[in-house]
Amino acid sequence: MEASRKSAMAFFSDQQLCYADILPPSEVLPRIEVAVLNFLRILTSPAPAISDLPLIARNSSNGRVNQGLLTEVPWIFLARSFCTRSLMRANATKAFIRVWKVMEMCSKILAQEKRVTQRELFYKLICDSPDYFSSQKEANRTIQDVVALLRCSRYSLGIMASSRGLVAGRLLLQEPNQEVVDCSICGSSGHAISGDLNLLDKLILKTDARYIIVVEKHAIFQRLAEDRVFNQIPSILITAKGYPDIATRFLLHRMSRAFPELPILALVDWNPAGLAILCTFKYGSIGMGLEAYRYACNVKWLGLRGDDLELILAESLVPLKPKDLQIAKSLMSSDILQEKYKQELAVMVESGQRAEIEALYCHGYDFLGKFIAKKIVQANYV
């Protein structure tokens, strides 16, 4: 334990670190102890003070891009710019205390050798500290503050990813000492992706697929799985039912490592939100920049693209919403977005319209498989 504490002390004196380590409880608990000891030491010194909490800044101005010098795909990470939580600023007092409350709770979770979801943690926090936690959003933001302070992943803190993800198609999954799961016989509902990252990391994966297809929407995933498109196009289907959660991104990243020869193709709506979902899978995200870069994958944009609009009735196009324009503005300002993606985004904004994948149903409910097959040939992924 003493060696772990010294290691943690060295960690807190190293201001170069700006990523989240994946650590066992035996290393996380000393980091929490050191944070408390440092706070108490300053508080009880001859010139007592309440020290600010130095957190890696999680905002776009602190975002950086690894341009892929050593890897094929660039990804987002955070530089060593700090922000603080202070008990001395009226507007930051509650946020300051929330960090300590979450650290206390994580310490108890790790000591009991348990894991909880963010939702479970939130309800425990509002039971114990109702004056400081009023929403799940506050709890989630504070968890990321603790990640930024201790620089270890949420999973290392005993917090599981709540997974919405599903997988189907030509993939065999096997947990250690468990039965093999054949994802091609799970029906249109697919196989639920576990939120336990440790379990996902230990999965034995086998496939004879030629493609991995990331599907933005649950309904489209169900249609493709029900039609067994993965038999017509040898593929694995995966969806996060919208914006990707960590568990789904983790499994996709695992598959990209296990099957590096398989192209990863994204089927998303032709709107700024669809492109943002693709970019989150592809590059990671600023909000979780301390750990999200670990799950970035070389995802290629299969469709819908601007040249697919000729397949869609004009009556099926709908106006962009203010939220779409906000997302588009954020994407346009990103250093990481490829020029051809920016051009496509500019066309969306200029047209003022958006197209959803379901608009292709004007050609029949079985058209999606044909559409995907044609796009694969056109993009020369065969």
Side-chain angles (χ1 to χ4, degrees):
M1 176 61 78
E2 186 58 31
S4 295
R5 186 174 284 109
K6 287 181 179 178
S7 171
M9 280 291 208
F11 161 82
F12 272 97
S13 67
D14 185 350
Q15 298 300 299
Q16 300 300 315
L17 294 177
C18 53
Y19 56 86
D21 296 317
I22 298 175
L23 300 171
S26 60
E27 294 186 41
V28 178
L29 287 169
R31 289 194 180 188
I32 295 175
E33 291 174 16
V34 167
V36 174
L37 290 172
N38 282 344
F39 181 76
L40 293 177
R41 177 175 54 80
I42 296 171
L43 193 62
T44 58
S45 67
I50 296 176
S51 59
D52 293 341
L53 298 175
L55 314 177
I56 296 293
R58 305 187 307 279
N59 51 43
S60 57
S61 62
N62 192 37
R64 300 291 185 271
V65 177
N66 168 20
Q67 293 292 356
L69 294 177
L70 299 177
T71 58
E72 184 181 353
V73 185
W75 37 262
I76 293 170
F77 67 97
L78 295 177
R80 64 185 188 100
S81 176
F82 286 84
C83 64
T84 59
R85 290 285 180 267
S86 173
L87 194 60
M88 306 308 292
R89 294 200 308 270
N91 63 347
T93 299
K94 282 195 171 183
F96 179 94
I97 295 172
R98 281 196 288 264
V99 171
W100 293 104
K101 293 288 186 182
V102 168
M103 271 203 293
E104 177 189 20
M105 197 67 68
C106 288
S107 179
K108 291 177 180 178
I109 291 166
L110 293 173
Q112 295 171 15
E113 299 182 346
K114 291 186 179 296
R115 294 200 178 277
V116 300
T117 64
Q118 288 194 154
R119 192 67 174 166
E120 290 172 323
L121 182 61
F122 166 61
Y123 277 105
K124 182 61 176 166
L125 287 166
I126 58 174
C127 286
D128 291 6
S129 308
D131 294 335
Y132 296 100
F133 294 91
S134 58
S135 69
Q136 182 74 58
K137 187 175 180 180
E138 279 182 347
N140 294 352
R141 187 184 297 121
T142 306
I143 289 166
Q144 286 303 314
D145 281 347
V146 174
V147 168
L149 176 66
L150 300 178
R151 272 159 277 169
C152 59
S153 68
R154 286 186 306 172
Y155 191 76
S156 301
L157 293 167
I159 302 170
M160 289 193 301
S162 297
S163 176
R164 303 182 304 276
L166 301 169
V167 63
R170 301 167 83 113
L171 178 66
L172 300 179
L173 302 174
Q174 185 178 19
E175 299 175 25
N177 304 315
Q178 298 295 320
E179 295 285 328
V180 174
V181 175
D182 183 348
C183 295
S184 70
I185 59 173
C186 294
S188 62
S189 59
H191 176 71
I193 297 170
S194 170
D196 187 335
L197 302 190
N198 187 50
L199 186 151
L200 292 178
D201 195 41
K202 293 178 180 177
L203 283 176
I204 299 168
L205 308 175
K206 294 181 181 179
T207 189
D208 63 351
R210 293 178 59 191
Y211 310 97
I212 299 171
I213 301 176
V214 178
V215 183
E216 174 186 347
K217 303 165 91 166
H218 184 209
I220 299 299
F221 173 91
Q222 287 183 305
R223 167 56 53 204
L224 294 173
E226 184 173 312
D227 292 347
R228 300 183 68 79
V229 164
F230 46 78
N231 285 340
Q232 307 159 33
I233 305 165
S235 56
I236 300 166
L237 308 176
I238 186 168
T239 183
K241 302 180 185 177
Y243 277 92
D245 56 89
I246 282 291
T248 305
R249 287 155 70 180
F250 186 94
L251 180 59
L252 182 64
H253 185 74
R254 277 244 32 224
M255 290 194 293
S256 74
R257 296 201 325 264
F259 317 122
E261 73 284 358
L262 300 188
I264 304 174
L265 313 174
L267 181 64
V268 298
D269 287 340
W270 190 74
N271 63 14
L275 181 54
I277 288 168
L278 182 153
C279 289
T280 303
F281 277 114
K282 187 177 182 72
Y283 306 121
S285 59
I286 288 293
M288 295 190 64
L290 283 159
E291 53 180 321
Y293 74 91
R294 297 181 188 276
Y295 317 125
C297 299
N298 187 15
V299 180
K300 302 180 187 301
W301 190 0
L302 186 70
L304 295 174
R305 304 290 292 268
D307 56 7
D308 299 323
L309 297 186
E310 63 185 24
L311 298 171
I312 294 173
L313 297 176
E315 293 80 4
S316 297
L317 300 175
V318 295
L320 290 178
K321 300 176 182 178
K323 181 67 173 177
D324 289 315
L325 297 175
Q326 183 181 344
I327 294 171
K329 182 178 179 181
S330 175
L331 287 171
M332 279 293 196
S333 65
S334 170
D335 294 333
I336 203 168
L337 199 64
Q338 298 176 25
E339 189 57 37
K340 60 182 179 180
Y341 286 9
K342 287 187 177 181
Q343 291 171 3
E344 189 103 27
L345 192 58
V347 173
M348 291 180 199
V349 174
E350 186 178 345
S351 72
Q353 295 179 311
R354 50 186 284 171
E356 299 191 350
I357 302 167
E358 289 90 340
L360 293 171
Y361 288 156
C362 65
H363 302 283
Y365 290 114
D366 62 346
F367 182 71
L368 278 181
K370 300 172 187 175
F371 171 78
I372 293 170
K374 183 179 179 181
K375 294 290 289 187
I376 286 174
V377 171
Q378 287 177 340
N380 199 29
Y381 295 132
V382 293

